[in-house]
């Protein structure tokens, strides 16, 4: 049985990103993790009680601290943290493991899916398979995609959504569904 090329791409890149994800949060990561922890544990955007309050990426408003990062990625990440916490992996019990798993599940998975869309775009443009492989290796390991896929940042998640939207834009003449998907991905 042959594994589909998309699953191979997903598995290889997710494995690479997971292997290289660092367990220590910097101020940027900590700001987002503070919001995730506060949403799941305290049901608020206020990060006053978070273990990540030490971050410099925060602002003070009406007597409370908040992350100065856009909240959409933290809201998305909070679903994964709630799941991890439900199965016994939390910032309280294993800070580094929880941090790594959130980065891999939110950022690594999104980037690996973005690599699949890059592959699909190259196939759609009828690029030779050998060159597709070279381009994927270069894009996944030789650009800033690799280091940004190992930290909790919104850059590669946004980029993956854009590449998916571009794929559907290229196919817009085939179906109204592709037009809708292109618009949704890029909004």
């Amino acid at each position: 049985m042959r594994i589909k090329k998309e699953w191979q791409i997903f598995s290889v890149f997710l494995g690479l990103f997971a292997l290289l994800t660092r367990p220590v949060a910097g101020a940027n990561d900590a700001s987002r993790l503070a919001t995730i922890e506060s949403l799941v544990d305290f049901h608020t955007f206020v990060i006053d009680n978070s273990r990540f309050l030490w971050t410099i990426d925060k602002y003070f408003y009406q007597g409370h601290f908040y992350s100065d990062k856009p909240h959409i990625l933290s809201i998305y990440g909070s679903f994964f943290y709630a799941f991890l916490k439900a199965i016994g992996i939390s910032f309280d019990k294993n800070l580094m493991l929880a941090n790594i798993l959130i980065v891999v599940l939110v950022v690594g998975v999104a980037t690996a899916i973005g690599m699949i869309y890059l592959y699909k775009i190259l196939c759609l443009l009828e690029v030779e398979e050998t060159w597709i492989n070279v381009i994927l290796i270069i894009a996944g390991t030789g650009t800033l995609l690799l280091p940004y896929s190992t930290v909790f940042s919104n850059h590669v998640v946004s980029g993956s959504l854009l590449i998916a939207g571009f794929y559907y834009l290229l196919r817009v003449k085939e179906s109204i569904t592709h037009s809708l998907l292109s618009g949704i991905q890029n909004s």
Side-chain angles (χ1 to χ4, degrees):
M1 181 172 129
R2 190 166 188 273
I3 299 173
K4 278 188 79 171
K5 180 77 173 200
E6 288 87 349
W7 281 109
Q8 292 173 354
I9 293 166
F10 180 83
S11 301
V12 166
F13 283 106
L14 183 61
L16 178 65
F17 301 147
L19 182 66
L20 298 176
T21 296
R22 59 190 176 104
V24 179
N28 191 348
D29 297 1
S31 183
R32 289 180 173 90
L33 291 170
T35 301
I36 289 173
E37 180 181 29
S38 295
L39 285 171
V40 173
D41 293 346
F42 312 115
H43 311 291
T44 182
F45 283 97
V46 173
I47 63 171
D48 293 347
N49 296 319
S50 173
R51 73 189 72 251
F52 302 104
L53 184 62
W54 56 264
T55 182
I56 59 171
D57 290 347
K58 62 187 176 193
Y59 65 93
F60 192 73
Y61 178 71
Q62 294 185 347
H64 297 287
F65 285 104
Y66 297 86
S67 170
D68 67 355
K69 303 298 172 209
H71 291 307
I72 193 73
L73 191 64
S74 296
I75 292 168
Y76 179 60
S78 68
F79 293 108
F80 291 96
Y81 180 56
F83 171 75
L84 290 173
K85 193 168 179 185
I87 62 170
I89 301 170
S90 67
F91 294 133
D92 288 334
K93 294 179 182 173
N94 196 331
L95 177 65
M96 290 194 295
L97 179 62
N99 182 357
I100 288 171
L101 288 174
I102 288 171
V103 172
V104 170
L105 291 172
V106 175
V107 181
V109 167
T111 310
I113 291 171
M115 294 300 290
I116 291 170
Y117 276 104
L118 177 59
Y119 167 74
K120 292 172 92 163
I121 288 170
L122 295 171
C123 287
L124 196 62
L125 297 174
E126 299 177 357
V127 175
E128 186 181 322
E129 186 75 19
T130 304
W131 284 109
I132 290 175
N133 294 335
V134 169
I135 291 168
L136 290 175
I137 291 168
I138 291 171
T141 62
T143 66
L144 287 175
L145 189 66
L146 179 60
Y148 275 111
S149 298
T150 62
V151 295
F152 198 53
S153 174
N154 64 333
H155 302 301
V156 292
V157 175
S158 299
S160 293
L161 289 171
L162 283 172
I163 199 88
F166 183 63
Y167 169 75
Y168 290 113
L169 181 65
L170 290 174
R171 297 186 61 193
V172 77
K173 289 185 179 180
E174 296 173 26
S175 156
I176 189 73
T177 305
H178 292 117
S179 179
L180 293 171
L181 288 170
S182 177
I184 290 170
Q185 297 293 326
N186 291 315
S187 56

